[in-house]
Amino acid sequence: MGKIEWAMWANEQALASGLIYLTGGIVGVAGQLKGWEYAAFGIAAGVFVCLLEYPRSKRAKGTNYERTGQYCFTVCVKAFGPLTSNYYVRAFLHAALCVPGGFMLATVLGCVCLGMASLIYLSAAIHGEHWQPIMPKSEPAKSVTQSIKHPPQNPPPRPPAEMRRKRAEDLESAAYVNPLPVTANE
Amino acid sequence: MGLVLRSWAANEAAKHCAVVVWVAVSAWLFWRTFRLFSSGPQYYYLHQMLGLGLCISRASASVLNLNCSLVLLPMCRSILTVLRGTQQLNSRKARRLLDKSKTFHVVCGVSICVFSVVHVCAHLVNAVSFSVRYSDDFPALNVAQHRGQDPRILILTTVPGITGVILVLILFLMFTASSYSIRVCNYEIFWYTHNLFILFYIILMLHVVGGALKYQTNVDTHPPGCIRTNQTNSSSYTSSNQVPETQTKAELKEMPHITVCKEDAHFQHHFPQTWLWVTAPLCLYCAERLYRYIRGSAPVTVVSVIRHPCDVIELRMLKSGFKARPGQCPTQNKETFGIHIRVLGDWTECLSELLFPALNHSEILPIMHQRTYPKLYVDGPFGTPSEEVFNYEVSVCVAGGIGVTPFACVLHTLLGGWSQYRLRRLYVVWVCRELQCFYWFANLLCDLHHKLWEENRPDYLNIRLYLTNTQQLQSFSEERFRPLSSRLLIGRPRWKDIFGEIGQSNQHKKVGVFCCGPKSVSRELHKLCNSFSASGTVFEYNKESFS
């Protein structure tokens, strides 16, 4: 196997488990099931995980696949600096967030899935990966090239108008005299 | 308008019909199972205990059965290849449906995930119901050991519960590793997690053995809702909550005749229906994988390796017992077959390093050096949409970069003889970023062009080469590539104009469009094929992708 980027897979898993956690939390609170406080925590944790995981990281090598509209999330996540770019922190954060979900039936699945995502993040951190923001490529301002030199200031040299006008009786003198010598192509 | 509809129907109708049939069958299955469990007499007492959760969980389970059996069939690639080649599928519409087998597999997979979510939610509600509405009258129906038992214990200590949890975890792993970005960036993650499917099916077979839901066997002697002779109505329902009591009393009042139970209700597990659904496709798929493994277990001999410009290597190989047929990557020598690989990504880079060790700088390594080559195994051949190029009267092949390789096989076949095929005119549109890329098949293109000119068929082959790198003016400098240099255009192709031109020259004909290139190009071509309405020409879109 070549160089696998575990973080990409962990990111997909964490986003999916955030959604599962959120759904389980909503079911628990809406149904007023036993232990609905854990479900309420599940909703908050699910939303937080989704927001954190939405922006994809920049790949070490290769093309980046951004999620639609992820730029604003990237800016927010980038603002936290090493807290979000270090995957050890993320692994432990997800592990901590998933524990309360295990105490309530509706959020058990979210807990297990987030736990798995946390393990994959740990593996990514051990392999030395870290989160890098995908910033839009700023195009260098297209400067007008200097190939266009100063346009000519003066019109080309011409004899005065009455000399230029062709006279029918005197075709020889009406011929235009070239100021520069013209030689035939050899 | 009618022409646009005709174009759309030629391209999309069969696919959409197939999807409509699949949705209709799923919906019918869901509805039938739902009705059975909500109003079937043998489930009366169970329905009383569990309510809507029972019906939804069983209905979603039946749709899951259907999709778990269907999801394997599009992946039997050897069987599909055989089907594509036989006389059975004479209709081009049916063969074009086979092109969409991977899409159908994805659709079934997504529906498995969706219905699994529904099934799990319904069963979680059932677990709570089993615990809260513990039945003292019919102890055989219960899954809980006592009233009010923690539902989580119910899930973790029963066979269906624990297998269900494991199934969800495996499905979660498979689903999260199957997204497009993961497949493109880290194919190994997708491949190894997707091979967990065999574990999924084994555990699925165990999941249905548990038999938590039972049906009543003696409905004739104990009609549901009958009065037991040794107990009065009020005492038999004091232990459960008020709702069933009033319900049953109301039902008794409505019933035209009130019957007395001859005997107590007997309950029994279901036969695991999933086994009937899943066994046949699973055996078929396993047989197919075994066949592919045996066929691919003989290593191929690498005859020669050629390095081409722009990171492409050509591998010529020899496999005992395999002779490349026309259209199957043939080479000049009929015994060997060749492939062109673009080096992009870690696997191909590794292969490139193994084939061209750093010390050896020569371009072509002859056969006596083959002991330094890695051992290569080849799986295939498999059928592709590009086989249809010969079955249209007019075909347009659009290639982007290395995507020209399927069409190179077509050109090579035509070099051997063109009159026996239905194809009468072939347009080859090849778009590349660098001029050097065209040298991969420049010889082949020129040879075919000359051959057709010699045989007085100059209109058979229309080549258009597009160079999208507009940094400097480039052209072919060699004299023998003159046919190509006069057909080289700078800039991106204008598809609408090209299609308009092809439509004008081929009025009232069915033109096959074959695309193998980047997604943006294929999307645009697909849209154009669906909406083309000039000159009575219908463009049928066929796509081949490498991922």
Side-chain angles (χ1 to χ4, degrees):
Chain A
M1 291 204 279
K3 191 139 178 23
I4 293 184
E5 290 192 28
W6 294 98
M8 263 197 101
W9 188 26
N11 171 268
E12 300 276 331
Q13 282 199 343
L15 189 63
S17 24
L19 287 169
I20 296 173
Y21 213 2
L22 174 65
T23 317
I26 291 175
V27 163
V29 167
Q32 288 288 307
L33 304 177
K34 195 173 71 171
W36 65 271
E37 297 89 1
Y38 292 111
F41 175 82
I43 295 178
V47 170
F48 174 72
V49 165
C50 285
L51 290 174
L52 176 65
E53 297 293 339
Y54 191 73
R56 274 208 187 105
S57 163
K58 194 158 126 178
R59 283 179 71 201
K61 202 168 63 159
T63 42
N64 295 312
Y65 292 93
E66 280 193 343
R67 292 203 174 100
T68 28
Q70 81 164 40
Y71 179 62
C72 38
F73 296 97
T74 310
V75 166
C76 297
V77 172
K78 187 175 152 210
F80 286 93
L83 269 181
T84 44
S85 66
N86 190 324
Y87 284 146
Y88 280 112
V89 171
R90 269 202 210 194
F92 289 126
L93 176 70
H94 288 325
L97 282 176
C98 81
V99 165
F103 291 108
M104 206 238 160
L105 187 63
T107 48
V108 154
L109 268 179
C111 158
V112 175
C113 294
L114 198 56
M116 266 196 326
S118 150
L119 282 173
I120 312 279
Y121 261 128
L122 192 63
S123 160
I126 292 171
H127 281 91
E129 297 171 30
H130 58 276
W131 188 85
Q132 281 167 306
I134 301 177
M135 305 308 286
K137 275 194 282 278
S138 52
E139 307 253 346
K142 281 204 178 108
S143 55
V144 177
T145 51
Q146 290 303 306
S147 61
I148 301 172
K149 303 285 186 247
H150 293 292
Q153 304 291 332
N154 301 316
R158 290 193 188 103
E162 59 268 7
M163 277 200 70
R164 273 183 273 141
R165 197 162 35 95
K166 280 193 187 143
R167 283 191 289 264
E169 63 274 352
D170 194 9
L171 282 170
E172 279 294 335
S173 63
Y176 173 66
V177 175
N178 222 323
L180 292 169
V182 173
T183 52
N185 281 338
E186 297 300 330
Chain B
M1 183 64 196
L3 280 170
V4 171
L5 210 60
R6 196 168 141 223
S7 293
W8 185 90
N11 281 302
E12 306 289 317
K15 272 188 317 196
H16 284 73
C17 275
V19 167
V20 163
V21 165
W22 173 77
V23 168
V25 169
S26 302
W28 173 79
L29 206 55
F30 189 94
W31 179 240
R32 194 188 78 149
T33 319
F34 190 93
R35 289 280 302 175
L36 176 67
F37 278 86
S38 66
S39 48
Q42 67 269 43
Y43 300 110
Y44 179 79
Y45 295 117
L46 195 60
H47 183 73
Q48 258 191 349
M49 188 164 28
L50 298 178
L52 198 61
L54 169 72
C55 307
I56 292 187
S57 66
R58 294 316 306 162
S60 56
S62 63
V63 176
L64 278 173
N65 281 339
L66 172 72
N67 284 304
C68 284
S69 65
L70 284 181
V71 80
L72 286 171
L73 297 176
M75 291 292 117
C76 300
R77 292 174 71 186
S78 304
I79 295 175
L80 290 182
T81 307
V82 167
L83 266 181
R84 203 192 277 268
T86 56
Q87 301 304 309
Q88 306 302 321
L89 276 186
N90 262 330
S91 153
R92 188 163 60 213
K93 274 202 168 51
R95 285 198 296 268
R96 285 181 77 217
L97 267 183
L98 287 184
D99 296 343
K100 291 281 144 197
S101 54
K102 201 181 87 170
T103 314
F104 185 64
H105 174 84
V106 169
V107 163
C108 286
V110 168
S111 74
I112 287 178
C113 289
V114 166
F115 280 98
S116 296
V117 169
V118 172
H119 183 79
V120 165
C121 291
H123 269 315
L124 287 179
V125 170
N126 286 344
V128 172
S129 303
F130 268 129
S131 157
V132 165
R133 296 205 202 151
Y134 182 86
S135 169
D136 295 311
D137 299 315
F138 308 106
L141 265 186
N142 289 311
V143 171
Q145 273 126 22
H146 58 87
R147 182 176 299 279
Q149 188 180 25
D150 191 353
R152 283 173 293 174
I153 311 257
L154 275 180
I155 291 173
L156 292 175
T157 52
T158 50
V159 168
I162 195 81
T163 49
V165 168
I166 298 175
L167 282 174
V168 168
L169 291 182
I170 295 178
L171 200 61
F172 177 71
L173 280 176
M174 284 169 71
F175 183 68
T176 49
S178 314
S179 66
Y180 176 72
S181 49
I182 300 265
R183 268 183 288 137
V184 169
C185 305
N186 295 301
Y187 194 78
E188 298 98 341
I189 295 180
F190 163 71
W191 178 250
Y192 289 115
T193 43
H194 237 65
N195 278 322
L196 287 173
F197 80 94
I198 192 72
L199 201 63
F200 180 87
Y201 276 95
I202 293 173
I203 298 184
L204 181 66
M205 307 284 214
L206 292 175
H207 179 71
V208 298
V209 164
L213 302 172
K214 303 186 183 77
Y215 69 100
Q216 188 185 344
T217 46
N218 55 348
V219 178
D220 42 353
T221 47
H222 179 113
C226 62
I227 307 172
R228 251 88 57 82
T229 47
N230 49 357
Q231 279 179 344
T232 58
N233 263 348
S234 50
S235 61
S236 66
Y237 290 107
T238 41
S239 45
S240 48
N241 25 347
Q242 294 297 317
V243 174
E245 185 184 344
T246 47
Q247 251 184 1
T248 322
K249 279 203 178 139
E251 277 165 353
L252 278 178
K253 284 197 191 122
E254 281 168 19
M255 279 166 72
H257 52 274
I258 297 167
T259 50
V260 174
C261 310
K262 297 199 187 73
E263 57 183 34
D264 281 336
H266 295 138
F267 298 101
Q268 202 183 315
H269 298 286
H270 278 113
F271 176 76
Q273 238 188 16
T274 308
W275 290 0
L276 298 172
W277 282 97
V278 159
T279 312
L282 193 61
C283 288
L284 193 67
Y285 185 76
C286 290
E288 139 107 27
R289 281 294 284 263
L290 191 65
Y291 167 70
R292 272 166 62 182
Y293 176 75
I294 293 173
R295 185 176 65 173
S297 60
V300 295
T301 322
V302 178
V303 171
S304 64
V305 185
I306 305 164
R307 205 204 289 266
H308 287 285
C310 296
D311 297 325
V312 164
I313 43 181
E314 183 184 348
L315 266 174
R316 298 233 176 116
M317 297 172 278
L318 181 69
K319 186 167 175 182
S320 62
F322 173 70
K323 200 154 166 219
R325 285 208 307 265
Q328 281 179 346
C329 320
T331 50
Q332 273 77 19
N333 180 358
K334 285 257 163 20
E335 298 297 322
T336 60
F337 64 101
I339 56 170
H340 286 71
I341 303 178
R342 183 161 165 231
V343 177
L344 180 81
D346 51 357
W347 190 85
T348 40
E349 270 174 21
C350 222
L351 181 68
S352 167
E353 274 166 38
L354 285 170
L355 292 170
F356 295 105
L359 318 152
N360 199 342
H361 289 293
S362 67
E363 276 208 341
I364 300 178
L365 300 169
I367 200 163
M368 56 203 83
H369 285 182
Q370 69 178 3
R371 61 176 176 274
T372 62
Y373 291 147
K375 232 191 219 173
L376 286 177
Y377 298 89
V378 162
D379 194 6
F382 298 118
T384 58
S386 306
E387 286 179 28
E388 289 294 311
V389 171
F390 301 109
N391 295 336
Y392 284 96
E393 241 185 84
V394 181
S395 288
V396 180
C397 296
V398 176
I402 194 65
V404 75
T405 43
F407 309 127
C409 298
V410 168
L411 295 174
H412 204 102
T413 313
L414 291 174
L415 207 54
W418 54 268
S419 47
Q420 65 263 38
Y421 303 112
R422 198 173 154 198
L423 184 67
R424 286 284 161 260
R425 192 173 279 174
L426 177 64
Y427 293 83
V428 177
V429 180
W430 188 7
V431 186
C432 278
R433 243 182 238 151
E434 305 283 335
L435 185 75
Q436 298 292 317
C437 300
F438 293 122
Y439 284 96
W440 303 335
F441 293 109
N443 280 320
L444 178 61
L445 283 166
C446 290
D447 288 344
L448 186 60
H449 174 85
H450 282 129
K451 176 185 152 88
L452 288 165
W453 269 78
E454 296 299 314
E455 294 182 16
N456 200 23
R457 283 300 301 262
D459 61 333
Y460 194 98
L461 181 64
N462 295 277
I463 304 172
R464 282 186 215 200
L465 308 176
Y466 286 89
L467 186 61
T468 51
N469 176 12
T470 53
Q471 289 301 320
Q472 62 249 50
L473 276 174
Q474 302 166 71
S475 187
F476 295 95
S477 46
E478 292 88 346
E479 177 60 36
R480 61 194 164 134
F481 295 145
R482 187 98 78 83
L484 298 184
S485 62
S486 55
R487 287 163 172 81
L488 178 68
L489 297 154
I490 311 290
R492 290 221 181 111
R494 283 213 184 101
W495 300 113
K496 218 162 172 186
D497 296 343
I498 294 174
F499 271 51
E501 211 183 301
I502 297 175
Q504 276 287 358
S505 322
N506 301 286
Q507 296 197 6
H508 303 290
K509 286 218 173 94
K510 234 189 201 132
V511 175
V513 178
F514 298 85
C515 176
C516 186
K519 263 189 178 252
S520 51
V521 169
S522 79
R523 224 175 281 149
E524 206 183 327
L525 285 178
H526 197 167
K527 243 184 353 192
L528 213 54
C529 288
N530 278 349
S531 59
F532 192 80
S533 61
S535 58
T537 323
V538 171
F539 287 92
E540 276 188 13
Y541 181 71
N542 302 279
K543 184 177 81 153
E544 176 161 352
S545 69
F546 287 161
S547 61

